[in-house]
Amino acid sequence: MSRLLTLTVLLAAGAAGACTIPTYEPDPVSVYQWERRQQAIEREQAERERLCRITKDEDPRKDELCRGVPGVES
């Protein structure tokens, strides 16, 4: 009985952990921080576009990788 209870508690804790609140990231306060943030966003977008461009059409991840990429029909 205690094993069943322990298993139930562990499963409930794991399910609760999957629904966590996103980490808060404060807004940059200096020009340098804003510039670094913008550069990071541009790098992420360029990487997303690159992955979309090199992924084959028959790959099941193609739709997910190309979602939000300008110039690509979804």
Side-chain angles (χ1 to χ4, degrees):
M1 180 67 180
S2 70
R3 286 185 183 178
L4 180 59
L5 181 61
T6 303
L7 181 60
T8 304
V9 170
L10 289 175
L11 288 174
C19 299
T20 59
I21 297 173
T23 305
Y24 170 74
E25 184 177 318
D27 284 338
V29 293
S30 70
V31 174
Y32 176 71
Q33 289 174 334
W34 278 105
E35 186 177 306
R36 286 186 55 203
R37 178 178 182 261
Q38 187 62 35
Q39 288 172 349
I41 292 169
E42 290 170 359
R43 280 193 307 271
E44 289 171 7
Q45 182 64 24
E47 177 65 9
R48 187 176 192 92
E49 291 172 3
R50 185 187 73 81
L51 288 173
C52 177
R53 198 172 48 249
I54 66 172
T55 303
K56 295 181 180 176
D57 289 337
E58 59 271 0
D59 193 324
R61 299 173 297 165
K62 179 82 173 181
D63 290 338
E64 181 182 340
L65 290 171
C66 293
R67 190 175 304 128
V69 174
V72 177
E73 294 180 21
S74 297

